[in-house]
Amino acid sequence: MNKIETVKIPRHVAIIMDGNGRWAQSRGLPRAMGHRKGVEAVREAVRVAGDTGVGFLTLFAFSSENWTRPETEVNDLMGLLKAFIRRDLAELHGENVRIRIIGARDNLRGDILPLLIEAEETTKANTGLTLVIAFNYGARDEIARAARKLAEQVAAGVLRPDQIDAVALDAQLDTQGIPDPDLVIRTSGEERLSNFLLWQAAYAELLFVPEYWPDFTRDVFYRALAVYAGRERRYGGIAAAAVTG
Ligand code: FPP
């Protein structure tokens, strides 16, 4: 691991945690067991991010589309998130982890929102890893909400339409103050972004790994970091070798 530590660690890794259900089904277990194992993988991913010097780790925990799942599964996922915050908040705080939650808040159940706010408030002065939990999150919804805020400012006369540019819109997103992801990983072999950080991932490296999320071990994370370290990022420019030689 020392080799990776001295090479190129992404500042921000964002993960689409996919495959909990298939992990369970392939073992003849109920889907809920897959989500439960998924929480263990979340804990390990947070530890690896902290150990390797990743500054920001964003995890897609619940999408705005996940409400269409059967009610029992939605309840399972809500229960796991609540239990995670209740059980792990003190430890994360002790490890200097700062928690941020992104996603829509207006239609959240009353028992969830206070916990999310407590997690952010308790850890807001921490200076270690920032753990960003995308909850009730959808990128198109996030961008639409940002556009609405800008429109409200125009209507209030505090912003002119010609002042609206990418920087102004970016500042209204839920991720305000969080750098764009350098690496977006999706587990389970699916190769889609599924409405995750569509604006912020404009220049991110994308990596699709075959492992189901519960099998996203320390080694799999290390391998993903090694792949990232070997990629050359050009941001729409040309290869460095072409400039110098
Ligand atoms: C995808 O698996 C995973 C999810 C929809 C939720 C991820 C949630 C957790 C790991 C637990 C709670 C999160 C935190 C941060 C404590 P899937 O059900 O879509 O799997 P499938 O595609 O195989 O059906």
Side-chain angles (χ1 to χ4, degrees), residues 152-216:
E152 282 163 5
Q153 291 174 23
V154 170
V158 293
L159 187 73
R160 292 192 317 271
D162 67 350
Q163 290 174 310
I164 296 178
D165 56 13
V167 174
L169 193 132
D170 193 83
Q172 300 301 326
L173 296 172
D174 298 344
T175 47
Q176 200 261 321
I178 297 170
D180 287 343
D182 303 292
L183 173 63
V184 174
I185 302 171
R186 181 173 189 145
T187 59
S188 89
E190 303 290 337
E191 302 191 355
R192 291 185 292 279
L193 282 178
S194 297
N195 206 13
F196 184 51
L197 300 178
L198 295 183
W199 174 281
Q200 299 87 338
Y203 289 101
E205 292 295 322
L206 306 181
L207 182 62
F208 303 101
V209 300
E211 288 83 3
Y212 295 143
W213 175 248
D215 291 329
F216 193 80

Side-chain angles (χ1 to χ4, degrees), residues 96-232:
N96 199 21
V97 173
R98 183 170 60 134
I99 297 176
R100 284 274 304 265
I101 314 286
I102 59 171
R105 298 192 175 197
D106 47 4
N107 59 347
L108 285 186
R109 292 184 344 195
D111 56 339
I112 287 267
L113 191 57
L115 273 179
L116 302 184
I117 293 170
E118 183 194 345
E120 286 189 319
E121 282 299 309
T122 307
T123 62
K124 69 179 177 201
N126 289 346
T127 54
L129 172 74
T130 297
L131 172 62
V132 184
I133 300 177
F135 179 76
N136 194 26
Y137 177 84
R140 288 179 172 180
D141 171 67
E142 178 193 32
I143 295 166
R145 284 187 284 108
R148 198 178 312 139
K149 284 184 227 163
L150 292 174
E152 282 163 5
Q153 291 174 23
V154 170
V158 293
L159 187 73
R160 292 192 317 271
D162 67 350
Q163 290 174 310
I164 296 178
D165 56 13
V167 174
L169 193 132
D170 193 83
Q172 300 301 326
L173 296 172
D174 298 344
T175 47
Q176 200 261 321
I178 297 170
D180 287 343
D182 303 292
L183 173 63
V184 174
I185 302 171
R186 181 173 189 145
T187 59
S188 89
E190 303 290 337
E191 302 191 355
R192 291 185 292 279
L193 282 178
S194 297
N195 206 13
F196 184 51
L197 300 178
L198 295 183
W199 174 281
Q200 299 87 338
Y203 289 101
E205 292 295 322
L206 306 181
L207 182 62
F208 303 101
V209 300
E211 288 83 3
Y212 295 143
W213 175 248
D215 291 329
F216 193 80
T217 57
R218 179 170 286 263
D219 277 352
V220 179
F221 202 162
Y222 283 172
R223 277 208 300 279
L225 294 175
V227 170
Y228 173 82
R231 295 230 185 135
E232 186 188 11

Side-chain angles (χ1 to χ4, degrees), residues 76-93:
D76 267 345
L77 287 167
M78 296 291 149
L80 285 174
L81 184 80
K82 284 196 289 187
F84 175 74
I85 292 180
R86 287 211 189 98
R87 274 188 222 145
D88 292 44
L89 181 58
E91 191 182 330
L92 292 168
H93 186 38

